[in-house]
Amino acid sequence: MRRRWRWTLNAGTLLVAWTLLGCDAGAQRAPAAADARPDAARPAGKPSDADLRARLTPIQYQVTQHDATETPFRNEYWDNHEEGIYVDVVSGEPLFSSRDKYDSGTGWPSFVRPLEPANLRTRTDRSLRMARTEVRSARADSHLGHLFDDGPAPTGLRYCMNSAALRFVPVARLEAEGYGKYLPLFATKK
């Protein structure tokens, strides 16, 4: 019995630590009702709920549309070191560059700055009984993750994102996928 209590205490300690690091320790929220907004009220660039359900994976849908958080260290891009850009999985809006990605130790992809600041918007998130800054895509209104002020220089910021909200476009595919204007970012050695 004592061993079980110790494990529970350690798991609880991890939950508190992940929360203090600004991440939800992979906790997923219950699915909300489907997007009931009529097409006229839906943000421009955001497909219908039926279209999103058809083309996104279940985790992509839950993260982007219902503010869920994927499991740390078990997501597609937390340890990706390839050069390229990250775009919104829903709209394709350019969001982050691999040149601004760093290992924050949280198990989620983290960035010091956005590639296109106008493609992000923020709002206060009080879902864990504390105030955090939620980051959403501007055009599709996708939930991406959270912003914290504990990042490295030069910005001191940490954009802690969900891989499920992102699609990675490698440098070799930038031109073909319509993101050729970002090629100069990768012309010099990192």
Side-chain angles (χ1 to χ4, degrees), residues 30-99:
D35 187 354
R37 292 181 283 191
D39 287 344
R42 190 172 49 242
K46 183 171 183 170
S48 70
D49 188 67
D51 182 46
L52 290 170
R53 286 181 183 272
R55 70 182 179 104
L56 298 177
T57 66
I59 187 67
Q60 288 172 328
Y61 180 81
Q62 287 303 316
V63 166
T64 61
Q65 305 308 300
H66 298 296
D67 308 339
T69 300
E70 64 195 355
T71 305
F73 302 103
R74 292 186 188 165
N75 57 76
E76 192 171 3
Y77 303 126
W78 79 271
D79 198 27
N80 181 31
H81 300 287
E82 191 175 352
E83 291 216 321
I85 66 170
Y86 295 84
V87 301
D88 178 8
V89 72
V90 172
S91 68
E93 295 168 84
L95 302 171
F96 299 98
S97 166
S98 62
R99 293 279 174 110

Side-chain angles (χ1 to χ4, degrees), residues 77 86-87 89 95-96 109 111 144 161-168:
Y77 303 126
Y86 295 84
V87 301
V89 72
L95 302 171
F96 299 98
F111 305 87
L144 303 172
M161 303 293 103
N162 287 284
S163 291
L166 306 173
R167 183 173 69 84
F168 180 71

Side-chain angles (χ1 to χ4, degrees), residues 6 12 14 20 24 29 33-34 41 48 68 77 82 103 105-106 113 115-116 126 129 141 162 171 179 187:
R6 186 174 293 155
L14 284 174
L20 291 175
D24 294 0
R29 294 182 179 88
S48 70
Y77 303 126
E82 191 175 352
D103 182 2
T106 61
R113 69 174 62 90
L115 178 60
E116 295 286 350
R126 297 185 188 280
R129 295 187 179 111
D141 193 36
N162 287 284
V171 171
Y179 301 104

